[in-house]
Amino acid sequence: MSEYIKIQAQTTQELLEHLDVSDDDAKPFIQQEQHPVIVVKNLFENKFFIEGIKLLAHALPKRESVWWACLAVRQSLVADESEEGYALQSAELWARQPTEENRQQCKQWAEKLEYKTAASWAATAATWCTGSIADPDQPEVAPPEQLYAHAVAGAVSLAAVVNEPSRSEEYYTHFLQQGLNLAAGGNGQV
């Protein structure tokens, strides 16, 4: 699957050590020796959207994965001039410029929104990519390597259902196309 240049893992097994497949019914569709994109597509074809999102979030590099969350949340956002809008804007800024200052801004918005919205999870994803997850007055603690992907999966999954749950399958499918475009080196604007 050489067209998916941003995905380093050659087999799904490489990703499963960081990922919990929570839906037992999805497990038969996860062939560990297959490329992650094949497995993600198979999960989507069989309507295991959340498991597919989780796998793709883990397969993408950090910045692309956070950008994917931003793209999904942008489609579900009601107002730019809101706390959610500012949280999303901070995550978008971090994806373009992953500085510590931008990461701290994401952390502030995620905490302010109490991790309850898709935008707060996009900001959390950026927060968990680098730096320390400890409070500023504590010794530095690096986030676990794949922690960001859990927040990305939360953001993308929530974005698919937050406004129009009856259209969630349509949103999941569109978000998959965005994620696969990013995996192929695109900008996700599909």
Side-chain angles (χ1 to χ4, degrees), residues 27-65:
K27 290 179 180 178
F29 300 100
I30 300 174
Q31 300 301 312
Q32 294 187 26
E33 70 283 352
Q34 290 182 327
H35 190 273
V37 171
I38 293 171
V39 174
V40 167
K41 288 179 177 181
N42 193 22
L43 286 166
F44 265 73
E45 286 170 10
N46 289 284
K47 303 200 184 305
F48 293 104
F49 303 117
I50 292 175
E51 300 302 337
I53 287 168
K54 289 191 313 190
L55 185 59
L56 186 55
H58 280 78
L60 288 168
K62 290 178 180 179
R63 285 177 69 186
E64 286 82 354
S65 194

Side-chain angles (χ1 to χ4, degrees), residues 9-19 21 30-37 39 55 58-59:
Q10 295 303 304
T11 66
T12 299
Q13 182 177 5
E14 296 171 55
L15 301 172
L16 289 177
E17 62 190 65
H18 304 288
L19 172 66
V21 178
I30 300 174
Q31 300 301 312
Q32 294 187 26
E33 70 283 352
Q34 290 182 327
H35 190 273
V37 171
V39 174
L55 185 59
H58 280 78

Side-chain angles (χ1 to χ4, degrees), residues 120-143:
S120 70
W121 283 109
T124 299
T127 301
W128 288 348
C129 283
T130 61
S132 176
I133 56 174
D135 289 334
D137 59 337
Q138 299 296 316
E140 287 192 15
V141 177

Side-chain angles (χ1 to χ4, degrees), residues 60-172:
L60 288 168
K62 290 178 180 179
R63 285 177 69 186
E64 286 82 354
S65 194
V66 170
W67 185 246
W68 182 35
C70 291
L71 291 170
V73 173
R74 174 66 54 201
Q75 290 184 301
S76 70
L77 192 65
V78 175
D80 258 351
E81 301 298 319
S82 65
E83 289 182 346
E84 286 187 56
Y86 299 134
L88 176 59
Q89 291 168 36
S90 71
E92 291 170 335
L93 181 59
W94 182 89
R96 288 190 298 276
Q97 298 173 342
T99 66
E100 180 60 17
E101 180 181 339
N102 291 339
R103 189 187 77 81
Q104 286 296 330
Q105 187 178 42
C106 289
K107 184 177 182 183
Q108 290 170 3
W109 280 112
E111 289 172 351
K112 184 169 184 142
L113 291 170
E114 299 177 344
Y115 312 98
K116 292 181 179 179
T117 68
S120 70
W121 283 109
T124 299
T127 301
W128 288 348
C129 283
T130 61
S132 176
I133 56 174
D135 289 334
D137 59 337
Q138 299 296 316
E140 287 192 15
V141 177
E145 187 59 33
Q146 296 293 321
L147 188 59
Y148 73 93
H150 297 282
V152 167
V156 173
S157 298
L158 279 171
V161 300
V162 69
N163 290 334
E164 299 177 89
S166 64
R167 294 181 57 203
S168 63
E169 188 170 335
E170 178 184 334
Y171 286 115
Y172 283 130

